[in-house]
Amino acid sequence: MPRPAVTIAARAARAAGNVILRYMNRIDGLHVVEKHRMDFASEVDRLAEAEIVKELRRAYPDHAILAEEGGATGKSPLTWVIDPLDGTHNYLRGIPHFSVSIALVEKGVPIYGVVFDPLRDELFTASKGDGAYLNDRRIRVSRRENLGGAMIATGFPYRQREHLDAQLAMTRALLGQAEDIRRSGSAALDLAYTAAARYDGYFEIGLKPWDMAAGVLLVHEAGGRYGDFAGRDGLPASGNLIAANLNVAKAMTDAIGAQATPALLKA
């Protein structure tokens, strides 16, 4: 049975999903702003986030919130970390691949997480110590023992293009052993798919907490591991993330670490 916090987060994610779907046929008329170079947000991001915050505030008025659009509010050891529309670039182009990501983090460690795909009605949930689920069915990371035949997911760092050469070198190193690499445009869904063994592993440069907080908990509770490019476990402050089962994570860390610059290996 889901923990109460997961139930609340799932309700908030579904409310946000309803907003996202409601505007899908009106994308051309949306007000869009460029927050940073090649980093866009629409009014749908803000409306969906407002729905999430409303649900969470109703249930947990004393918790802090860290949201992609609204920033940080409140002070508490417990913080809700929110990405109301992970995959905005896809959404604005009509590409049907995006999600809602919500996690509750305690002193830097995710303890509850939800990733919701409103188009496919797929709800990924996890509670620390209780496993990971897709629509109430238990999920596990893949059993692949190495990179041979692996399907790896990634994203390219549009916020940090100075690392593009290093990422291309990492990609080349992985493709020397793996079957293929996918770049879908939603970090939260990539991590959820890794937890569900649709992908064998995932890596990306420069993620923000809201991109990965829920997804890494899914991977961990599905029996996997997550950490930074130097092999340190935990939610990386650098945002440079590797997630997979234990064997594939080790192989990815070795391949990526050999190509990463000193800046990318910092904690």
Side-chain angles (χ1 to χ4, degrees):
M1 179 174 293
R3 299 289 186 93
V6 170
T7 301
I8 296 297
R11 185 187 306 156
R14 288 190 180 278
N18 289 337
V19 171
I20 291 166
L21 295 180
R22 190 182 312 139
Y23 282 85
M24 272 200 73
N25 294 325
R26 291 181 271 171
I27 292 174
D28 290 344
L30 293 178
H31 176 64
V32 178
V33 297
E34 187 172 9
K35 298 184 292 184
H36 306 287
R37 181 175 178 266
M38 291 183 286
D39 187 2
F40 299 96
S42 74
E43 60 190 288
V44 174
D45 296 70
R46 293 185 289 275
L47 291 170
E49 185 173 288
E51 287 295 317
I52 295 169
V53 170
K54 181 174 69 176
E55 291 287 346
L56 297 180
R57 284 276 184 237
R58 182 182 297 146
Y60 302 105
D62 297 328
H63 289 184
I65 287 177
L66 175 62
E68 180 174 14
E69 306 308 325
T73 56
K75 290 186 178 181
S76 170
L78 295 166
T79 301
W80 289 100
V81 181
I82 302 164
D83 191 336
L85 177 50
D86 187 55
T88 299
H89 291 237
N90 283 349
Y91 183 78
L92 293 176
R93 292 176 176 269
I95 298 171
H97 192 81
F98 42 79
S99 62
V100 180
S101 177
I102 304 172
L104 183 61
V105 175
E106 183 176 27
K107 298 178 180 178
V109 178
I111 56 175
Y112 299 109
V114 167
V115 174
F116 179 52
D117 179 345
L119 281 175
R120 297 172 184 83
D121 195 28
E122 290 191 330
L123 181 70
F124 298 85
T125 59
S127 302
K128 187 179 179 183
D130 284 350
Y133 296 84
L134 166 54
N135 292 346
D136 299 322
R137 176 179 60 82
R138 184 74 179 262
I139 55 176
R140 301 286 296 178
V141 292
S142 81
R143 297 180 181 178
R144 195 167 299 280
E145 296 182 357
N146 52 51
L147 282 171
M151 181 71 74
I152 305 298
T154 192
F156 292 102
Y158 59 84
R159 296 188 190 98
Q160 300 183 31
R161 284 289 166 85
E162 69 271 21
H163 299 306
L164 185 57
D165 287 345
Q167 177 149 17
L168 292 174
M170 297 171 195
T171 301
R172 185 166 50 248
L174 291 171
L175 279 175
Q177 304 174 64
E179 175 185 328
D180 208 347
I181 289 181
R182 294 284 185 269
R183 193 267 189 264
S184 66
S186 172
L189 276 182
D190 286 345
L191 287 162
Y193 282 17
T194 301
R198 294 174 178 175
Y199 292 138
D200 297 298
Y202 169 76
F203 77 103
E204 190 162 347
I205 291 170
L207 293 171
K208 298 297 185 181
W210 47 80
D211 297 318
M212 56 182 169
V216 296
L217 181 62
L218 286 166
V219 171
H220 182 268
E221 291 302 317
R225 174 188 176 190
Y226 65 92
D228 68 11
F229 288 0
R232 292 175 287 251
D233 289 329
L235 201 62
S238 65
N240 304 328
L241 178 70
I242 293 172
N245 73 32
L246 301 185
N247 293 327
V248 174
K250 174 63 167 59
M252 290 178 67
T253 301
D254 290 344
I256 287 170
Q259 304 298 327
T261 62
L264 290 174
L265 293 173
K266 290 182 180 178

